[in-house]
Amino acid sequence: MHVTSESRLDDGVLVREFTLGEIPGTLWTPESAAPVPLILMAHNNGLPKSADRLVARARHCAAAGYAVASIDAAGCGDRPRSAADEQVRAELRRAMQAGEPVDGIFESLIGPLVENAVPEWRTTLDALLELPGIGGPVGYSGWTALGIRLAVAEPRIAAAGLFAGGYVPRAQREEARQVTVPLLFLLQWDDEGNPRQRALDLFDAFGAEEKTLHANLGGHTGTPWFEVEDGNRFFDRHLK
C-alpha cells in the first residue's frame, strides 16, 4: 500500500489517500491509543469514493472511533471503463429517457460491477488489517448488491449496514439467504428508482437472525442524517 497524501482534520481524523496496485482508496482514522475497528464503505453502482455523501458519512464514522476505508473499484470513480461498459451505460440512459424497462440492462451492468469489485475489496481489506492502529472487527456500509456478495464471500465481515437504493441483481437477491451477519437495512419509502416491494422482499430474504429495517419518507437521496448516527450505534453494538 502506497500513501500518496495525508492530512489531519480539525476533529483529529487522519485522512490518507493511497494506492494498492491499480486500486485508489481513501482511509480515515481517528486519534486512538488502541487499535480500532474497521468499516468498509462503498457507494452505489460505481459512484466515486470522493462523493460528498460518502465522505461525510466516513468522516462522521471515523470521528466516532472507527477506521473507515473506501476505494474506487474497476470502472468506478476515475478508473477507466471498458468500451462494453460505456455501451451498456449509454443503452441504460436511452431506455430510461424513453421510459422502457431497464431491469435487463441493469443486470448486464451491475452484475459484472459487483463480481469485479469483490476481489479488489478483499485485497484492500488484507492490506488494511496489516496497518498499525487497525485491529478489526470489520463492518460494511453502503451499496447493497456489493454488500451481499462481500458478506457471503468474506468471513471477516461481522456486521453490515445496507442502503436499499440501487438495483440488486438476481444473483445477489438469491445470495441474500446466505447473509447471516447482523444487518441494518435503510429504505427510502418514495425512492423513484427502487420499487418498495422489491426492497421489502429482499429484507425478508436475508438469512440473518438479527436484521433491522429503517424506512423513511423521501426519495433516493433523502436518507436523514440521523440514520448515520443510528448506523454508528449499530456498529458500536457489533464491532466494539
Side-chain angles (χ1 to χ4, degrees), residues 143-195:
W143 180 14
T144 293
L146 175 63
I148 292 171
R149 181 86 276 276
L150 198 58
V152 171
E154 179 49 72
R156 290 172 290 186
I157 301 293
L162 305 177
F163 288 75
Y167 184 82
V168 177
R170 286 189 296 271
Q172 275 66 64
R173 279 179 260 159
E174 293 172 0
E175 281 185 314
R177 293 171 176 80
Q178 302 175 48
V179 177
T180 57
V181 298
L183 291 176
L184 174 62
F185 196 53
L186 303 183
L187 170 63
Q188 285 302 103
W189 204 244
D190 308 301
D191 189 340
E192 60 282 356
N194 183 44

Side-chain angles (χ1 to χ4, degrees), residues 127-139:
L128 291 170
L129 290 178
E130 293 180 356
L131 295 177
I134 300 178
V138 181

Side-chain angles (χ1 to χ4, degrees), residues 30-54:
E31 290 184 304
S32 175
V36 296
L38 172 65
I39 295 176
L40 306 179
M41 192 169 286
H43 217 320
N44 277 4
N45 301 351
L47 291 176
K49 62 182 177 61
S50 59
D52 290 344
R53 284 181 291 150
L54 184 146

Side-chain angles (χ1 to χ4, degrees), residues 92-114:
L92 177 62
R93 289 191 293 269
R94 185 205 63 76
M96 292 179 72
Q97 291 170 357
E100 298 173 0
V102 294
D103 279 9
I105 303 174
F106 269 128
E107 284 286 335
S108 61
L109 174 64
I110 305 304
L113 266 181
V114 170

Side-chain angles (χ1 to χ4, degrees), residues 191-212:
D191 189 340
E192 60 282 356
N194 183 44
R196 183 187 306 162
Q197 190 58 52
R198 181 182 289 174
L200 294 173
D201 290 343
L202 179 61
F203 177 76
D204 191 50
F206 284 121
E209 292 185 3
E210 180 183 331
K211 54 183 179 180
T212 302

Side-chain angles (χ1 to χ4, degrees), residues 210-227:
E210 180 183 331
K211 54 183 179 180
T212 302
L213 172 68
H214 286 189
N216 291 281
L217 297 177
H220 182 72
T221 61
T223 303
W225 182 254
F226 63 72
E227 290 291 3

